[in-house]
């Protein structure tokens, strides 16, 4: 059995990451799933959350929102709508996005698209938690 697998994270704008890793924890739309080397072929939609991978005893964190994860030939391909490595996250921007979403939630309900606002709030909260998890962890 292989001891590592290739992880590629791609968005419409850029290649975010391409690394050989030991494990990937992925935020699927129905909850987190883990992928080890030699995993069987697999396809899942991504939710909004924090992907992490393990390499040489360290964890590395990447925020992802929407898209798909595909596993085949000992490779995990993350086709994400949006992805940022922990150290790329602008926490102040996320905090402002959180405030806007919370303010909208307090406004007249009929004017607010509830699920869109919930997604914006979750993106903001998950970005902050990703940046926090990334502190003291490895920089990918
Ligand atoms: P905002 O309202 O601040 O734009 P958002 O959640 O609506 O936040 P997205 O639509 O998820 O933003 O992302 C739009 C682009 O901005 C993407 O390229 C994303 O990587 C980038 N981005 C958004 N927020 C941040 C952040 N806090 N730090 C770094 N990049 C960010």
């Amino acid at each position: 059995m292989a001891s590592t697998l290739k992880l590629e994270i791609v968005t419409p704008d850029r290649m975010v990451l391409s690394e050989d890793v030991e494990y990937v924890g992925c935020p699927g739309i129905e909850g987190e799933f883990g992928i080890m080397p030699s995993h069987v072929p697999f396809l899942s939609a991504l939710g909004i959350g924090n992907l992490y991978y393990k390499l040489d005893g360290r964890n590395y964190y990447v925020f992802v929102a929407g898209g798909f994860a595909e596993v085949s030939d000992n490779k995990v391909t993350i086709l994400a709508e949006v992805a940022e490595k922990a150290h790329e996250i602008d926490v102040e921007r996320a905090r402002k996005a959180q405030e806007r979403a919370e303010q909208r939630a307090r406004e007249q309900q009929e004017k607010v698209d509830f699920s869109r606002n919930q997604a914006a709030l979750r993106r903001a909260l998950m970005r902050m938690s990703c940046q926090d998890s990334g502190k003291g962890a490895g920089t990918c």
Side-chain angles (χ1 to χ4, degrees):
M1 191 176 112
S3 60
T4 61
L5 72 167
K6 172 73 84 185
L7 169 63
E8 277 190 3
I9 304 178
V10 184
T11 71
D13 300 331
R14 64 185 178 126
M15 166 74 81
V16 178
L17 188 100
S18 177
E19 287 274 1
D20 291 317
V21 306
E22 292 155 0
Y23 177 86
V24 183
C26 203
I29 200 144
E30 287 174 2
E32 182 179 317
F33 57 88
I35 304 156
M36 294 172 74
S38 307
H39 198 288
V40 294
F42 178 72
L43 180 68
S44 172
L46 292 172
I48 298 170
N50 298 329
L51 175 151
Y52 71 99
Y53 62 90
K54 293 177 188 275
L55 185 59
D56 295 332
R58 303 190 78 166
N59 287 356
Y60 298 81
Y61 297 87
V62 183
F63 166 80
V64 294
F68 292 91
E70 185 196 25
V71 183
S72 70
D73 296 331
N74 207 36
K75 179 176 174 185
V76 184
T77 307
I78 305 291
L79 296 169
E81 289 166 22
V82 172
E84 295 128 31
K85 297 174 188 170
H87 73 272
E88 294 174 330
I89 292 170
D90 178 342
V91 179
E92 200 41 46
R93 177 172 169 176
R95 202 165 284 130
K96 285 180 183 159
Q98 176 191 6
E99 281 170 15
R100 286 196 302 277
E102 288 176 345
Q103 179 59 37
R104 281 192 297 267
R106 287 191 290 269
E107 285 166 5
Q108 292 163 303
Q109 295 297 312
E110 68 271 17
K111 283 190 185 169
V112 177
D113 179 334
F114 181 76
S115 59
R116 188 173 157 196
N117 198 47
Q118 282 297 104
L121 179 58
R122 184 163 170 84
R123 287 197 300 278
L125 296 175
M126 286 294 111
R127 280 185 169 112
M128 289 189 280
S129 111
C130 185
Q131 200 269 349
D132 200 43
S133 299
K135 284 180 195 158
T139 302
C140 49

